[in-house]
Amino acid sequence: GTSTYDGVAIAWAVSEFLHDRIGCKTMFATHYHELMQLPERLQHARNLNVAVRETGGQVVFLHRLEPGGTDRSYGIHVAELAGLPAAVTSRAREVLSNLEKQELDVQGAPVIARRGGESAGEGQLLLFTGAEELVLEKLREADPERMTPIAALSFLASLQERLKN
């Protein structure tokens, strides 16, 4: 439950401490764009970013570091790659749009809390359905303490087959 400002403050202070007091080489992976200012203040700090290619609405991470910071964030795309349901990432894009536009209601609260006519409990997302739920049930029933290594591998292979079908 850390606020954005708390997170930036902690990351900034840790960076300064590592640079000024410890003097060790450290790689910091962060989503805080504010930290791109650190090389202006810390002699040995450098900004690097993961090279990305964007074509036709698709984002491809090129698995190489390039000098400099970035002006883009790919968090929602990473969430898609991690397998979050489309309903979640679609809603995340709506919320992001509201935040970027600083859309507020008359009381000054962000409008992101509003959901198009859904009442509590409606639109519940299931992260695991169908084959995934069956596999989870089988995992819950399994007793790995009583399995031989070969039996455990066979069991996992059968679960993997269920997910493919």
Side-chain angles (χ1 to χ4, degrees):
T2 301
S3 77
T4 299
Y5 292 138
D6 281 355
V8 170
I10 292 167
W12 192 290
V14 167
S15 298
E16 288 177 338
F17 184 84
L18 290 172
H19 181 274
D20 298 341
R21 291 267 195 80
I22 306 295
C24 63
K25 290 187 179 199
T26 304
M27 185 180 295
F28 235 113
T30 180
H31 60 280
Y32 295 125
H33 291 275
E34 295 85 352
L35 296 183
M36 287 193 298
Q37 300 171 36
L38 283 172
E40 298 167 14
R41 303 172 192 286
L42 303 177
Q43 178 183 3
H44 302 290
R46 303 289 179 268
N47 283 322
L48 300 171
N49 69 81
V50 176
V52 172
R53 177 176 295 139
E54 294 183 58
T55 53
Q58 295 292 322
V59 176
V60 178
F61 294 98
L62 302 179
H63 302 282
R64 87 173 171 261
L65 295 176
E66 294 182 338
T70 180
D71 60 353
R72 295 281 318 266
S73 178
Y74 297 100
I76 295 174
H77 182 73
V78 170
E80 289 172 331
L81 291 174
L84 286 180
V88 172
T89 55
S90 174
R91 175 66 175 148
R93 282 190 176 83
E94 291 173 11
V95 172
L96 178 62
S97 177
N98 289 141
L99 290 169
E100 288 176 339
K101 294 175 187 171
Q102 297 183 358
E103 294 176 346
L104 306 175
D105 64 17
V106 292
Q107 286 85 27
V111 297
I112 60 174
R114 292 196 198 120
R115 309 249 347 214
E118 290 182 9
S119 61
E122 286 183 30
Q124 176 68 39
L125 294 174
L126 299 174
L127 291 177
F128 303 102
T129 58
E132 291 89 350
E133 188 60 42
L134 180 62
V135 167
L136 284 173
E137 187 59 37
K138 293 291 183 190
L139 283 170
R140 286 184 197 104
E141 294 171 0
D143 185 3
E145 298 290 325
R146 299 188 186 277
M147 288 183 182
T148 65
I150 293 294
L153 287 173
S154 176
F155 174 72
L156 291 174
S158 72
L159 294 179
Q160 188 176 30
E161 268 312 301
R162 286 180 190 241
L163 286 174
K164 286 181 184 177
N165 298 330

